[in-house]
Amino acid sequence: MTTIRESPALPLDPTPEFLADLKRHSERLEQAEPAEIVRWAAETFGSRLTMATAFGPEGCVILYLLSQIAPKTHVFNLDTGYQFAETLAVRDRIAEKYGIEVELRRPDHTVEEYEARHGGPLYETNPDQCCHDNKIAVLHKAVVGKHAWMSGIRRDQSVHRAQAPIVGWDAKFSLVKISPLANWTKKDVWGLILKEGIPYNPLHDQGYPSVGCWPCTKRVLAGESDERAGRWSGSAKTECGLHTLEQDGSGI
Ligand code: SF4
């Protein structure tokens, strides 16, 4: 039987016993504070733990926690070529304040090559393909050799995220997925940011509650309560695909 305590060198095998083990840990950590969850993840997976961040407020909170608990944890950003300058500047401020160098992982193509290949910006005509090529395919490469990844998703962000366990099996990327902030609210996140002076993206003070690539991120109008309303505004798309379930329902 494979248990997560063994942290094998080979890719994990999601046997029924392994998945039951994950579920037990998830249930045990359900009442834990994010710091305890991050500590468990770092102690359990060591150098095989990674974290993806787009430098949203939740990601900045986890980076702060990592700086206190496991500052050598590998962290990466999917640098699509379409990020705001303000977003990339947060990376520098995090490095300066906490000494954590977030690795920028890029697609094999430049923006110019990609748009030339598709006769223009694909985010205008086929954003799902654009997200796949510039985010999902890049993440698949970024996690080679890793066994677990952490993300900053919160259950109250959207219906897609409402079922996220603290610890679960991510079939899309064949990794254990840990969501230390799943139980936190937006108020919890901002409370810690302001209390500890954690760097954050200044666009959040300019009407952007959620920040992604600039072509697909709009200011949210007063009265729009969905904090992800500014992402792919005007289309049915609400997620880039990193945090959605597989067709068989076995995702996060
Ligand atoms: S968010 Fe927009 S620009 Fe960024 S990868 Fe997805 S479709 Fe492309």
Side-chain angles (χ1 to χ4, degrees):
M1 182 180 98
T2 304
T3 69
I4 55 176
R5 284 290 172 202
E6 291 165 355
S7 193
L10 295 170
L12 297 183
D13 178 12
T15 61
E17 293 83 1
F18 179 79
L19 296 177
D21 201 20
L22 287 187
K23 192 162 181 279
R24 272 193 297 277
H25 282 286
S26 191
E27 288 168 358
R28 185 179 59 77
L29 291 166
E30 191 62 39
Q31 306 303 322
E33 286 296 317
E36 187 184 339
I37 300 168
V38 169
R39 179 170 287 106
W40 173 82
E43 288 175 359
T44 303
F45 297 103
S47 64
R48 293 192 180 274
L49 173 67
T50 188
M51 176 195 167
T53 182
F55 302 106
E58 293 78 16
C60 292
V61 161
I62 296 179
L63 285 164
Y64 161 75
L65 295 174
L66 281 174
S67 75
Q68 315 267 305
I69 296 166
K72 294 199 182 313
T73 302
H74 178 248
V75 186
F76 66 96
N77 164 265
L78 297 173
D79 190 16
T80 58
Y82 293 114
Q83 293 191 103
F84 288 92
E86 289 89 339
T87 302
L88 292 168
V90 181
R91 174 180 180 267
D92 299 335
R93 289 162 56 213
I94 293 279
E96 206 174 297
K97 184 153 187 177
Y98 301 126
I100 294 179
E101 296 281 342
V102 176
E103 184 189 7
L104 297 175
R105 294 298 302 239
R106 301 187 170 111
D108 293 336
H109 49 252
T110 64
V111 165
E112 292 73 23
E113 288 166 347
Y114 190 67
E115 293 189 357
R117 189 182 307 156
H118 293 284
L122 207 57
Y123 55 76
E124 289 180 349
T125 53
N126 191 345
D128 285 342
Q129 184 67 43
C130 186
C131 278
H132 176 273
D133 296 344
N134 291 295
K135 291 185 175 180
I136 295 172
V138 181
L139 195 142
H140 272 291
K141 286 187 183 171
V143 300
V144 168
K146 300 297 182 188
H147 286 172
W149 72 303
M150 276 196 299
S151 90
I153 61 172
R154 303 189 338 258
R155 289 177 183 150
D156 67 351
Q157 280 174 315
S158 70
V159 288
H160 287 289
R161 300 181 179 194
Q163 303 302 320
I166 304 290
V167 183
W169 178 249
D170 186 339
K172 184 176 283 182
F173 298 108
S174 294
L175 293 171
V176 174
K177 184 171 185 178
I178 300 131
S179 302
L181 303 179
N183 271 330
W184 265 26
T185 63
K186 181 178 176 181
K187 193 175 165 195
D188 293 328
V189 169
W190 281 101
L192 189 67
I193 287 175
L194 298 176
K195 177 167 169 267
E196 297 296 339
I198 299 169
Y200 65 89
N201 194 327
L203 292 173
H204 296 309
D205 294 331
Q206 298 167 34
Y208 299 87
S210 177
V211 177
C213 296
W214 64 260
C216 303
T217 303
K218 299 276 181 296
R219 279 195 173 86
V220 167
L221 303 172
E224 280 187 294
S225 57
D226 179 353
E227 67 183 274
R228 288 179 62 79
R231 304 288 294 278
W232 301 283
S233 180
S235 85
K237 184 173 169 68
T238 58
E239 295 275 354
C240 58
L242 297 177
H243 302 296
T244 47
L245 298 173
E246 295 287 279
Q247 290 301 309
D248 62 2
S250 58
I252 43 181

